[in-house]
């Protein structure tokens, strides 16, 4: 009942959306041992909704839910450990909790496992495991899973290199606004990998990623403007994008500025 009321207030269903009321009802539920209440309190404390943001209290409530097997608690706790919010950064504990969530079908957990296996954080690097978990997330529509699959197919890691599959997955992520998907798609169009080389489409996707702050896309867009590939040659635009990349430490951006 109390958790249900909290949900109505958080979603604004039949009542005006009111995070403070949601917090009130979730807290009452959480203090009675309700796992939905506990994990929802973790979320409200993480996001600072209805209550001042407090990562330590988020960790406390997520942990209580997680230890009772609640998938949202497990995934939320994994996030706090991977980011080092309210708890010391600990990739092994992030892996532990995300794995428990992933096995229950949680997409955030699945894509996070893909990332941890790709980077070898908290677990030995294993591209085949990364592929397995990214694919499970991707097939549920998760953009991190989709762009992760795009990367593995592009590089031939954990799976045979397959540019057409890379295009497919990067495109699905890109069309949902994912910066890695946009940048990856720009690269494949620029190089003509898995698709006919098309500088105009490369410029389109690089531009979308560049606006979101992706340094690879910024320096690549700078190059397209400098050379007049897919866009009118424009040295001022080239310098603008090279500079934005360079300010993030991107070597291609720095060399583009000369």
């Amino acid at each position: 009942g109390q958790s249900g009321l909290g949900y109505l207030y958080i979603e604004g269903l039949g009542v005006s959306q009111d995070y403070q009321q949601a917090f009130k009802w979730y807290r009452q539920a959480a203090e009675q041992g309700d796992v939905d209440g506990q994990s929802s309190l973790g979320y409200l404390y993480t996001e600072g909704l209805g209550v001042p943001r407090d990562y330590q209290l988020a960790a406390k409530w997520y942990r209580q839910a997680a230890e009772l097997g609640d998938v949202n608690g497990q995934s939320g706790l994994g996030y706090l450990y991977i980011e080092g919010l309210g708890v010391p950064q600990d990739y092994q504990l992030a892996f532990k909790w995300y794995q428990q969530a992933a096995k229950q079908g949680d997409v955030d957990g699945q894509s996070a496992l893909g990332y941890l296996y790709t980077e070898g954080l908290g677990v030995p690097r294993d591209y085949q495991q990364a592929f397995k978990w990214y694919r499970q997330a991707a097939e549920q529509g998760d953009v991190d899973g989709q762009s992760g699959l795009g990367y593995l197919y592009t590089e031939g890691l954990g799976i045979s290199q397959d540019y057409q599959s890379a295009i497919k997955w990067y495109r699905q992520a890109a069309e949902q606004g994912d910066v890695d998907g946009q940048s990856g798609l720009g690269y494949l169009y620029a190089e003509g990998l898995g698709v006919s080389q098309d500088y105009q489409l490369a410029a389109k996707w690089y531009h979308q990623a560049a606006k979101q702050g992706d340094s690879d896309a910024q320096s690549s867009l700078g190059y397209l403007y400098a050379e007049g590939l897919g866009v009118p040659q424009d040295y001022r635009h080239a310098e603008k994008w090279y500079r934005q990349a360079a300010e993030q430490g991107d070597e291609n951006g720095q060399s583009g500025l000369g």
Side-chain angles (χ1 to χ4, degrees):
Q2 292 161 338
S3 259
L5 276 175
Y7 178 76
L8 296 179
Y9 277 112
I10 218 170
E11 298 293 336
L13 298 171
V15 291
S16 299
Q17 190 176 50
D18 186 331
Y19 291 117
Q20 288 174 307
Q21 282 292 317
F23 177 79
K24 169 189 161 183
W25 291 110
Y26 277 137
R27 185 171 60 184
Q28 288 188 31
E31 287 170 349
Q32 291 175 42
D34 180 83
V35 293
D36 290 333
Q38 292 165 348
S39 61
S40 298
L41 272 196
Y43 171 73
L44 294 175
Y45 275 120
T46 299
E47 301 297 327
L49 296 172
V51 67
R53 180 174 276 142
D54 187 326
Y55 293 119
Q56 288 175 305
L57 283 171
K60 169 192 165 180
W61 288 109
Y62 273 148
R63 185 183 310 282
Q64 288 193 32
E67 287 175 347
L68 291 166
D70 180 73
V71 65
N72 295 320
Q74 293 163 349
S75 188
L77 196 52
Y79 170 75
L80 296 179
Y81 275 118
I82 213 170
E83 299 294 335
L85 298 171
V87 291
Q89 189 175 49
D90 187 324
Y91 292 117
Q92 287 176 301
L93 284 171
F95 178 83
K96 169 191 167 179
W97 290 112
Y98 271 137
Q99 185 180 44
Q100 290 190 32
K103 286 179 174 175
Q104 292 197 62
D106 180 71
V107 292
D108 293 332
Q110 291 167 346
S111 61
L113 282 195
Y115 170 73
L116 294 172
Y117 273 120
T118 299
E119 301 298 328
L121 295 171
V123 67
R125 180 174 277 138
D126 185 329
Y127 293 119
Q128 288 174 309
Q129 283 291 317
F131 179 82
K132 168 191 165 179
W133 289 109
Y134 273 147
R135 185 170 59 184
Q136 288 191 34
E139 287 173 349
Q140 292 195 64
D142 180 74
V143 295
D144 294 327
Q146 291 165 347
S147 60
L149 271 193
Y151 170 73
L152 296 179
Y153 273 120
T154 298
E155 302 296 329
L157 297 171
I159 190 75
S160 300
Q161 193 170 48
D162 181 339
Y163 293 122
Q164 288 174 312
S165 290
I167 284 272
K168 169 192 164 180
W169 289 110
Y170 272 146
R171 186 185 306 283
Q172 289 191 34
E175 288 175 349
Q176 292 190 67
D178 179 70
V179 65
D180 295 325
Q182 293 165 347
S183 187
L185 204 48
Y187 169 74
L188 294 174
Y189 274 116
E191 300 296 324
L193 298 171
V195 70
S196 301
Q197 189 173 49
D198 187 325
Y199 289 118
Q200 286 179 299
L201 283 172
K204 170 193 166 179
W205 290 110
Y206 275 145
H207 194 256
Q208 292 193 29
K211 285 191 295 185
Q212 291 198 65
D214 184 79
S215 62
D216 289 335
Q218 290 167 345
S219 59
S220 298
L221 193 55
Y223 175 76
L224 294 181
Y225 274 113
E227 300 295 324
L229 294 170
V231 289
Q233 191 171 46
D234 186 325
Y235 293 117
R236 279 191 318 153
H237 274 87
E239 186 196 9
K240 167 191 164 182
W241 290 111
Y242 275 144
R243 186 172 305 284
Q244 288 192 33
E247 286 170 355
Q248 294 192 65
D250 184 84
E251 290 179 11
N252 292 325
Q254 291 161 352
S255 61
L257 287 173

